[in-house]
Amino acid sequence: MKKIIAFELALLGIGASTACSQQAFNDVDVDDFAKLIADTHVQLLDVRTADEYNEGHIDQALNIDVKQVGFLEEAMEKLDKTRPVAVYCRSGRRSANAAGMLTEQGYEVVNLKGGIQAWQLSQKPISTSQYEIDEFKTPGGKVARFHALVHSSIRLDVGERHIYIDPVSRLGNRTINYTTMPKADYIFVTHEHGDHLDIQVLPQLIGDSTKIVTNSRCAELLLAAGIVVPKENVLKNGDNLTLAEDLSLEAFPAYNTTEGRQQFHPKGRDNGYIITLDGLRIYVAGDTEDIPEMTRLAPSAEGDSQKAIDIAFLPCNQPYTMTPDQLVRAASIIKPRVLFPYHFGQTDVSVIPSQLKDIPVEVRLRHYE
């Protein structure tokens, strides 16, 4: 393992003089640390408290407090042993402790000398984003990072590409500042409701090469605001679109079925999306109930991994989308590897993990109120 990180350090032009030879992990200065974490293969870990993290952290860092009970167990659950770990704290002492613990477990680790204090003194950027980040490896070996922004708004990063799904800037007393985020390569909008389509925020995300994908009604509203969506990017249920060699999209039905709710999301108008990213299958359901079409997403009896859903975002706020019981039924049909209840507002979704305990689905609760 140490040979791997030594090789990465050498590739980045980081010589032996920047690494401590008296310990199992490496101490590096700010500039070399910055070079290292620019490689998306490297996992970035902030071991300070949550309050310290929220005051400012290095962008994309995972936060696990080294002083909390169960630090090592949580770190081993979330960190991939096949990839290097770059760790930091306030001054470098707590992170050195964490680095030693991780190294003993077989991780290859680099520690930032001087911590985030040295980082800031060198005028390196910090982020105050408090969004939870979940990281997955695609079948092709790429790293996909999901940022839980708010309600139905998701940011997905893979390498240098940035995908935003239903980006909105305000919901209740929560606001999202998109001016601090990268420009979008792709924006996917499911339907026209204000908690999914925020026309005012889109100019903050649109760059020279941004592609927007949506349904016909949203395309009309965007055109009226001076934002043109090419015809080929306007999808109806069942349409497929290839956006890149490793990125494709299927527009999936999303609608209400319960009597007295159909007016919220009529059948055939709105989209959910099945995103295939370098072999990783992601189902973003949009505003829907547990519709019959979901049986198409169930794993095949032959175990065809190309059809199975790896990650599902299922909504849960009656009367507009699903009740918790409906969500559990939908998850029981689809059987995603990982389930994120989202769009849940004030609905209590804490009961969902126990209701799915007999099904091989990992439920992750994030701040998608």
Side-chain angles (χ1 to χ4, degrees):
M1 295 290 283
K2 289 192 71 177
K3 290 180 180 178
I4 298 172
I5 200 159
F7 179 66
E8 297 219 10
L9 291 169
L11 284 178
L12 292 169
I14 302 173
S17 61
T18 62
C20 176
S21 60
Q22 303 303 314
Q23 55 198 18
F25 58 88
N26 296 290
D27 281 314
V28 298
D29 64 20
V30 168
D31 289 337
D32 289 341
F33 195 82
K35 290 178 187 177
L36 192 67
I37 66 174
D39 181 354
T40 57
H41 184 66
V42 175
Q43 303 167 101
L44 180 58
L45 178 62
D46 182 323
V47 296
R48 299 174 300 157
T49 66
D51 287 343
E52 290 175 293
Y53 179 87
N54 291 337
E55 289 172 0
H57 55 269
I58 302 174
D59 194 35
Q60 306 286 352
L62 172 68
N63 179 221
I64 309 175
D65 183 354
V66 69
K67 291 191 173 182
Q68 74 179 8
V69 175
F71 162 77
L72 191 57
E73 290 77 6
E74 183 177 352
M76 291 180 67
E77 178 185 344
K78 294 183 177 179
L79 296 172
D80 184 347
K81 274 192 181 179
T82 66
R83 296 165 53 205
V85 178
V87 62
Y88 72 92
C89 64
R90 185 177 68 89
S91 64
R93 293 181 181 178
R94 279 175 288 173
S95 54
N97 183 33
M101 295 166 65
L102 291 170
T103 301
E104 288 179 358
Q105 298 301 318
Y107 289 89
E108 45 179 325
V109 186
V110 164
N111 180 45
L112 175 58
K113 289 194 297 187
I116 199 167
Q117 289 180 329
W119 181 269
Q120 290 178 283
L121 284 172
S122 297
Q123 298 185 331
K124 298 291 186 185
I126 64 169
S127 172
T128 55
S129 164
Q130 300 178 30
Y131 312 119
E132 296 149 308
I133 300 173
D134 287 272
E135 192 173 279
F136 299 88
K137 184 178 286 186
T138 70
K142 297 173 183 176
V143 177
R145 293 186 175 94
F146 293 80
H147 302 245
L149 301 183
V150 65
H151 198 55
S152 59
S153 300
I154 305 164
R155 171 181 157 189
L156 168 56
D157 296 338
V158 55
E160 298 300 316
R161 289 176 294 173
H162 308 284
I163 301 169
Y164 294 85
I165 303 165
D166 286 346
V168 299
S169 58
R170 181 182 296 275
L171 191 75
N173 62 358
R174 296 179 65 188
T175 59
I176 310 298
N177 182 8
Y178 290 96
T179 63
T180 65
M181 299 186 193
K183 295 293 186 182
D185 292 278
Y186 305 98
I187 299 172
F188 304 152
V189 181
T190 59
H191 66 288
E192 67 200 68
H193 291 168
D195 54 343
H196 296 262
L197 173 63
D198 185 344
I199 293 176
Q200 301 306 313
V201 85
L202 293 187
Q204 299 173 29
L205 291 172
I206 294 173
D208 293 338
S209 59
T210 302
K211 295 180 181 179
I212 300 175
V213 180
T214 189
N215 65 357
S216 60
R217 177 56 181 154
C218 290
E220 292 172 1
L221 295 170
L222 290 170
L223 182 61
I227 300 172
V228 178
V229 180
K231 183 178 180 181
E232 62 270 20
N233 291 358
V234 179
L235 305 185
K236 64 182 183 300
N237 295 171
D239 285 348
N240 291 273
L241 179 65
T242 299
L243 292 164
E245 185 178 349
D246 63 347
L247 179 62
S248 62
L249 201 65
E250 177 188 345
F252 197 80
Y255 59 94
N256 287 112
T257 57
T258 301
E259 190 69 33
R261 296 187 193 175
Q262 290 99 326
Q263 73 276 15
F264 297 131
H265 305 97
K267 186 175 182 178
R269 186 191 69 183
D270 305 340
N271 290 332
Y273 292 113
I274 299 171
I275 304 164
T276 303
L277 174 62
D278 193 39
L280 188 72
R281 299 257 297 167
I282 306 151
Y283 174 38
V284 180
D287 281 10
T288 188
E289 293 185 57
D290 52 336
I291 55 177
E293 290 88 342
M294 287 180 180
T295 57
R296 285 207 296 112
L297 305 181
S300 67
E302 296 77 21
D304 186 351
S305 61
Q306 293 184 338
K307 297 291 180 70
I309 297 297
D310 296 297
I311 303 163
F313 291 84
L314 299 181
C316 188
N317 70 325
Q318 55 187 328
Y320 306 104
T321 62
M322 289 188 264
T323 65
D325 286 343
Q326 285 179 301
L327 189 150
V328 167
R329 285 201 299 271
S332 300
I333 293 168
I334 300 167
K335 294 184 176 65
R337 179 162 57 92
V338 177
L339 165 66
F340 292 95
Y342 87 138
H343 194 288
F344 54 82
Q346 301 304 309
T347 303
D348 181 9
V349 295
S350 65
V351 300
I352 290 173
S354 63
Q355 290 179 286
L356 287 168
K357 67 181 186 303
D358 296 326
I359 298 171
V361 174
E362 178 188 349
V363 181
R364 298 190 187 183
L365 301 180
R366 302 295 183 255
H367 286 293
Y368 284 113
E369 294 93 336

XYZ file of all heavy atoms in Angstrom, residues 8 40 54 62 78 104 108 113 131 139 156 177 192 214-215 260 308 362:
145
model
N 2.208 7.731 -6.201
C 1.377 8.903 -6.485
C 2.106 10.186 -6.123
O 2.042 11.182 -6.840
C 0.055 8.803 -5.703
C -0.783 7.622 -6.122
C -2.265 7.968 -6.160
O -2.600 9.160 -6.049
O -3.063 7.044 -6.317
N -9.019 13.028 -8.217
C -10.293 12.571 -7.638
C -10.215 11.145 -7.104
O -11.146 10.686 -6.439
C -11.426 12.661 -8.678
O -11.065 11.890 -9.843
C -11.669 14.102 -9.099
N -18.242 23.109 9.679
C -19.226 24.032 9.131
C -18.716 25.457 9.038
O -19.199 26.255 8.228
C -20.510 23.994 9.967
C -21.256 22.673 9.819
O -21.088 21.961 8.831
N -22.067 22.338 10.806
N -14.886 14.797 3.383
C -15.767 14.024 4.252
C -15.412 14.364 5.689
O -14.237 14.452 6.034
C -15.551 12.532 3.992
C -16.243 11.531 4.921
C -17.750 11.575 4.719
C -15.714 10.124 4.662
N -16.801 4.110 5.481
C -16.976 5.105 4.418
C -15.774 5.256 3.495
O -15.920 5.815 2.395
C -17.315 6.464 5.044
C -18.669 6.484 5.742
C -18.993 7.855 6.287
C -20.390 7.882 6.909
N -20.741 9.209 7.468
N -2.720 1.864 10.550
C -2.710 0.556 11.220
C -3.743 -0.400 10.642
O -3.601 -1.616 10.736
C -2.955 0.738 12.720
C -1.776 1.356 13.472
C -2.080 1.532 14.942
O -3.219 1.200 15.353
O -1.199 1.999 15.675
N -3.442 3.777 3.112
C -2.300 4.624 2.806
C -2.750 6.073 3.002
O -3.749 6.505 2.432
C -1.789 4.380 1.394
C -2.872 4.297 0.342
C -2.294 4.078 -1.041
O -1.211 4.627 -1.318
O -2.923 3.388 -1.840
N 0.467 18.959 6.931
C 1.250 19.639 7.969
C 0.665 21.031 8.223
O 0.431 21.780 7.288
C 2.713 19.773 7.535
C 3.482 18.481 7.530
C 4.981 18.712 7.417
C 5.354 19.385 6.107
N 6.825 19.456 5.920
N -23.453 20.633 2.968
C -24.235 19.573 2.366
C -23.559 18.217 2.565
O -22.352 18.086 2.424
C -24.427 19.857 0.872
C -24.885 21.267 0.596
C -24.113 22.132 -0.167
C -26.064 21.740 1.146
C -24.522 23.440 -0.392
C -26.480 23.048 0.931
C -25.705 23.895 0.166
O -26.096 25.186 -0.045
N -18.954 1.192 -12.022
C -18.332 -0.051 -12.503
C -17.073 0.194 -13.321
O -16.179 -0.654 -13.365
C -19.438 -0.691 -13.353
C -20.704 -0.201 -12.728
C -20.404 1.223 -12.310
N -24.531 16.196 -8.548
C -23.754 14.979 -8.801
C -22.467 15.366 -9.518
O -22.511 15.945 -10.606
C -24.587 14.008 -9.645
C -23.879 12.807 -10.264
C -23.178 11.968 -9.212
C -24.875 11.962 -11.055
N -26.887 28.617 -2.115
C -26.118 29.609 -2.860
C -25.361 28.921 -3.984
O -24.288 28.357 -3.783
C -25.157 30.342 -1.923
C -24.373 31.426 -2.638
O -24.640 31.738 -3.800
N -23.407 31.999 -1.952
N -42.466 21.141 -13.690
C -42.582 22.596 -13.604
C -42.798 23.163 -12.199
O -42.700 24.380 -12.013
C -43.766 23.047 -14.472
C -45.122 22.563 -13.920
C -46.208 22.574 -14.965
O -46.142 21.774 -15.903
O -47.124 23.418 -14.831
N -35.184 18.304 -20.025
C -36.428 18.464 -19.273
C -37.607 17.966 -20.100
O -37.422 17.367 -21.170
C -36.609 19.934 -18.859
O -37.709 20.039 -17.950
C -36.823 20.847 -20.052
N -38.836 18.232 -19.619
C -40.036 17.855 -20.364
C -40.536 19.051 -21.178
O -39.983 20.153 -21.120
C -41.118 17.313 -19.427
C -41.641 18.367 -18.456
O -41.174 19.507 -18.433
N -42.609 17.984 -17.636
N -58.148 11.702 -6.179
C -58.077 13.016 -5.548
C -56.689 13.631 -5.569
O -56.511 14.783 -5.160
N -30.397 -3.614 -13.191
C -30.703 -3.319 -11.796
C -30.383 -1.861 -11.469
O -29.471 -1.262 -12.040
C -29.913 -4.253 -10.882
N -29.816 -0.747 1.371
C -29.226 0.157 2.354
C -29.950 1.497 2.274
O -29.965 2.137 1.223
C -27.734 0.364 2.071
C -27.082 1.346 3.044
C -25.660 1.705 2.667
O -25.075 1.058 1.773
O -25.127 2.669 3.269
